Amino acid sequence: MTGPSSPETLPFHLTGNFAPVPDEIAVHDLDVTGTLPPELAGTYVRNGPNPRNGPSPTWFLGQGMLHGVRIEGGRARWYRNRWIDAPTTSNTNIVRHAGRLLALVETAPPVVVTGELATVGALDFAGGLTRGMTAHPKICPSTGELLFFVYGLQAPFVTYYRANASGELVQSEPIEVGSPTYMHDFAITRRYAVFLDLPVLFHGWRTPVPIQWSDDYGARIGVLPRDGRGDQVRWFPIAPCSVVHTANAYEEGGTIVLDVMRASTLDAPSRLHRYTVDLEEGVVHEAALDALHAEFPRIDDRRTGSAHRYVYALELRNLVNGIPTHTALRKYDVATGRSTVHDFGPDRFPGECVFVPRTPGSDEDDGYAIGYVYDRRRNASDLVVLDAADFAAPALATIALPRRVPFGIHGSWFPDLG
């Protein structure tokens, strides 16, 4: 993904639209092309690395910056960007639980921020969180629980946590694995937490080679009752692979269905893939669901832990030195095996999109896909609203932002709390 010209000697994360923006701004009453759905009332916020004081050694170590757009009454009320003012980078994701917005980076405590993106401070769950937290916690739609884990360099290499709907930490379970591994994401079902223990060894983010493929470590899926002890994990061997992001998991009869973005090795393209864990027979069946290179899978979050039909992802095309020169959004229908692409054209680069239901009770794709799109021609970004059910159609609305939003990582839509 390219942008303004930059010295060829700089690493990719300091060039083009990966490069950081230099300051914080707030702009009100943004221009909108098309019509914003009147039922959209909330704020879209995305997190990503943006070094504050000089260059960062790698993209993943840049200070976190939040970019948010407030939508209400068919208008784009404001855009603002704010650094996360915390000792940790906190640059990967943002979620809301128990009324708190939590900026996240793996292996560090979450950082609470306000609805206008100002930093409040770190959260340690009344001293119960001593090691940190994944950037991919799961919020159970049925119970309101927050389920998460942390991995690290010291034993126990993985610890599983559970917080209740009020935000109180109620469970902490060490999980035995053979070595520190890069465990970025996991999944939940109605009854289980599902882990991926894979041959991507972790050496520390500030080391010369933070993660490294191992031909000897093996690969397996772990299944733990959500309220179970750490020694109750059942492990199921699978073919060696690398998985950064899961889409979702759910129970079906005596099996667990797990959809992920899977790569055959650390540097191979990732593709939508399905594991079916047979809990009775003790085996796992694998099936590729697509052949295209894609990442950042998202679903309707109301389906977390239950059966889903649609997965929204970022398609990565024409890689040069590992960086795509073009991106598009793709909607997968895992029930039919078909997919639909929304291509913004050669000079417009979408990032991750999120699904927003039209109403709290609407069907799984009755709503909107929203996300930032970088426009290389004007060196600025837009927030784009697509009709999720008519995914290839022109955007319903495009909000012109006053600056570019650097390519980042994950975001969320935070609807107003009624």
Side-chain angles (χ1 to χ4, degrees), residues 131 151-158 176-183 197-204 210-212 214 217:
R131 302 186 65 186
Y151 69 91
L153 294 171
Q154 289 79 40
F157 302 126
V158 179
E176 185 175 345
V177 297
S179 174
T181 62
Y182 175 53
M183 190 181 291
D197 185 28
L198 303 177
V200 182
L201 304 188
F202 178 62
H203 303 292
I211 57 177
Q212 188 175 27
S214 170
Y217 187 77

Side-chain angles (χ1 to χ4, degrees), residues 1 21 40 46 230 280 343 373 383:
M1 290 183 264
V21 294
L40 279 181
R46 203 224 60 208
E280 297 174 358
D343 195 324
V373 178
L383 181 64

Side-chain angles (χ1 to χ4, degrees), residues 7-268:
E8 294 182 359
T9 56
L10 290 176
F12 81 90
H13 64 279
L14 300 176
T15 67
N17 196 46
F18 283 99
V21 294
D23 54 12
E24 301 174 332
I25 64 173
V27 178
H28 295 262
D29 297 321
L30 306 172
D31 291 336
V32 179
T33 301
T35 302
L36 284 168
E39 59 269 22
L40 279 181
T43 307
Y44 173 69
V45 185
R46 203 224 60 208
N47 202 346
N50 197 100
R52 188 170 195 162
N53 299 309
S56 61
T58 70
W59 190 45
F60 296 110
L61 292 179
Q63 186 70 21
M65 176 175 276
L66 302 173
H67 297 261
V69 174
R70 167 76 184 165
I71 299 173
E72 181 185 8
R75 297 172 58 189
R77 299 289 183 171
W78 51 253
Y79 159 83
R80 57 170 45 91
N81 64 304
R82 294 291 183 268
W83 272 292
I84 300 169
D85 189 12
T88 59
T89 52
S90 305
N91 63 14
T92 305
N93 201 359
I94 182 167
V95 301
R96 180 168 65 189
H97 183 254
R100 295 180 293 216
L101 295 183
L102 306 177
L104 304 169
V105 66
E106 51 200 76
T107 73
V111 174
V112 180
V113 300
T114 70
E116 295 192 343
L117 312 187
T119 300
V120 176
L123 173 68
D124 67 359
F125 293 91
L129 187 67
T130 59
R131 302 186 65 186
M133 179 175 177
T134 176
H136 286 284
K138 308 301 177 187
I139 299 172
C140 177
S142 300
T143 66
E145 291 176 305
L146 182 75
L147 301 103
F148 58 99
F149 69 95
V150 67
Y151 69 91
L153 294 171
Q154 289 79 40
F157 302 126
V158 179
T159 303
Y160 163 70
Y161 296 96
R162 186 166 55 91
N164 64 22
S166 300
E168 301 167 317
L169 197 65
V170 296
Q171 188 176 11
S172 172
E173 298 290 338
I175 295 176
E176 185 175 345
V177 297
S179 174
T181 62
Y182 175 53
M183 190 181 291
H184 183 71
D185 201 354
F186 81 135
I188 64 169
T189 71
R190 183 174 59 87
R191 294 183 295 168
Y192 300 105
V194 183
F195 300 91
L196 290 150
D197 185 28
L198 303 177
V200 182
L201 304 188
F202 178 62
H203 303 292
W205 287 114
R206 297 188 180 277
T207 62
V209 183
I211 57 177
Q212 188 175 27
W213 180 264
S214 170
D215 289 326
D216 303 318
Y217 187 77
R220 56 185 185 167
I221 293 174
V223 176
L224 172 69
R226 283 175 29 170
D227 60 354
R229 303 186 313 271
D231 60 5
Q232 292 179 305
V233 179
R234 290 183 63 193
W235 293 105
F236 301 81
I238 58 175
C241 64
S242 171
V243 173
V244 179
H245 294 114
T246 68
N248 191 36
Y250 60 91
E251 297 167 48
E252 189 173 69
T255 69
I256 292 175
V257 177
L258 171 64
D259 287 352
V260 306
M261 290 299 181
R262 177 192 184 276
S264 58
T265 64
L266 183 58
D267 298 320

Side-chain angles (χ1 to χ4, degrees), residues 275-313:
Y275 295 102
T276 303
V277 183
D278 190 321
L279 299 176
E280 297 174 358
E281 298 294 330
V283 297
V284 180
H285 303 283
E286 300 191 33
L289 300 184
D290 192 60
L292 296 172
H293 186 190
E295 254 298 350
F296 296 114
R298 299 297 296 256
I299 64 164
D300 177 350
D301 288 337
R302 299 172 302 170
R303 310 300 301 171
T304 300
S306 61
H308 63 278
R309 178 171 179 175
Y310 302 106
V311 176
Y312 303 86

